[in-house]
Amino acid sequence: MHPKKRHVDIVVISDVHLGTYGCHAKELLFYLKSIKPKIVILNGDIIDIWQFSKRYWPKSHMKVIKHLMNWMSKKVKIYYITGNHDEMLRKFSGFKMGSFRIVDKLVLPLNDNKNAWFFHGDVFDVTMQHSKWLAKLGAVGYDLLILINRFVNFISVNILKKGKLSLSKKIKNGVKSAIKFINDFEQTAADIAINNKYDYVVCGHIHQPEIREINNMHGSTTYLNSGDWIENLTALEYTDGKWSLYKFDETDMMNMKEVKEEDDPNSSVLFEEMLAGFNLMKAS
């Protein structure tokens, strides 16, 4: 049985990369079922349209889509902020359907007259701006690294009886240029937020969950990053005037195993419609 739903004013989820091998869709679905949000902000790279294909789309990935659609039917406000892996949706920026809308960025007023600026963050990525083919090649390499990581962890846990490890995290944390990129990304986002007098700046893109105050000579802002559902399995929550970082943990894993899986006969129809839609976007 699923635990009692927690009421959340705003939930921010990014970098899910549905349609890739690295995506932890089952864990995300369990999390989505555990909360009752008023506003949902999907901050980019939810569906990986770059790598979307008919060859890999598990039932769990479709169930995430259907759960979001169920929230829409219940009039939960959902903002889909476009990212680089779903950049094809940018041509539909401004689209509205009921409580759902597609935007490139978003500013929301919060409690105590504070405001929050939400955007994915790929605009700061030089690789994205000037060498898109290189970024796409990197995305495929990252997906392969995640597959290798799963194989390594299977051996580590089941044969060597040791804990799990993250190869991509080790690479990121061990390469000075990667650390500098993350620091520069966070500082740049904060500088622009301070200049525009935003109290909070909320990003995704770099798969690095974070909540921290950043200062410069003109003021300060709170920088937040929702992380991802590839490695960190994190989301941002805003409730009663406070931000917090949710992280899927071992307790969630144990509870998830007790939830009975259900098949949905309509999933294949919805998948074919999505496939046709994405092929249409790529052709135009």
Side-chain angles (χ1 to χ4, degrees), residues 47-65:
I47 301 174
D48 198 318
I49 301 177
W50 278 5
Q51 301 184 68
F52 187 89
S53 74
K54 205 168 184 175
R55 291 189 301 275
Y56 186 77
W57 187 262
K59 290 177 183 177
S60 58
H61 292 219
M62 184 57 72
K63 286 178 181 178
V64 169
I65 299 292

Side-chain angles (χ1 to χ4, degrees), residues 196-246:
N196 286 280
K197 301 191 184 320
Y198 295 130
D199 301 286
Y200 305 103
V201 53
V202 188
C203 305
H205 187 56
I206 59 172
H207 297 204
Q208 196 81 2
E210 185 71 81
I211 299 178
R212 70 184 178 99
E213 188 172 321
I214 298 180
N215 305 281
N216 66 17
M217 60 187 296
H218 302 292
S220 67
T221 190
T222 301
Y223 166 85
L224 304 99
N225 196 300
S226 44
D228 65 280
W229 286 84
I230 302 288
E231 299 172 79
N232 296 294
L233 282 58
T234 51
L236 289 167
E237 297 180 353
Y238 180 80
T239 307
D240 297 329
K242 292 182 179 179
W243 284 101
S244 62
L245 195 60
Y246 164 85

Side-chain angles (χ1 to χ4, degrees), residues 153-282:
N153 280 337
F154 178 82
I155 294 173
S156 179
V157 173
N158 296 286
I159 298 175
L160 302 178
K161 305 300 179 185
K162 294 183 177 180
K164 292 182 178 180
L165 57 96
S166 172
L167 297 179
S168 55
K169 272 188 184 179
K170 280 187 174 293
I171 291 170
K172 260 193 285 189
N173 295 338
V175 179
K176 287 183 180 179
S177 59
I179 297 169
K180 184 179 184 303
F181 169 75
I182 290 168
N183 290 337
D184 288 349
F185 178 96
E186 295 175 348
Q187 188 65 53
T188 302
D191 288 343
I192 296 173
I194 292 167
N195 188 52
N196 286 280
K197 301 191 184 320
Y198 295 130
D199 301 286
Y200 305 103
V201 53
V202 188
C203 305
H205 187 56
I206 59 172
H207 297 204
Q208 196 81 2
E210 185 71 81
I211 299 178
R212 70 184 178 99
E213 188 172 321
I214 298 180
N215 305 281
N216 66 17
M217 60 187 296
H218 302 292
S220 67
T221 190
T222 301
Y223 166 85
L224 304 99
N225 196 300
S226 44
D228 65 280
W229 286 84
I230 302 288
E231 299 172 79
N232 296 294
L233 282 58
T234 51
L236 289 167
E237 297 180 353
Y238 180 80
T239 307
D240 297 329
K242 292 182 179 179
W243 284 101
S244 62
L245 195 60
Y246 164 85
K247 182 169 178 60
F248 188 92
D249 59 23
E250 294 300 322
T251 304
D252 292 322
M253 182 67 76
M254 293 303 296
N255 290 333
M256 188 178 76
K257 288 177 181 176
E258 297 175 10
V259 178
K260 186 179 178 182
E261 285 284 327
E262 296 176 359
D263 286 330
D264 186 348
N266 298 318
S267 290
S268 58
V269 176
L270 183 57
F271 174 72
E272 290 298 331
E273 290 176 355
M274 284 175 57
L275 187 65
F278 292 152
N279 286 336
L280 207 64
M281 284 185 217
K282 289 176 181 179

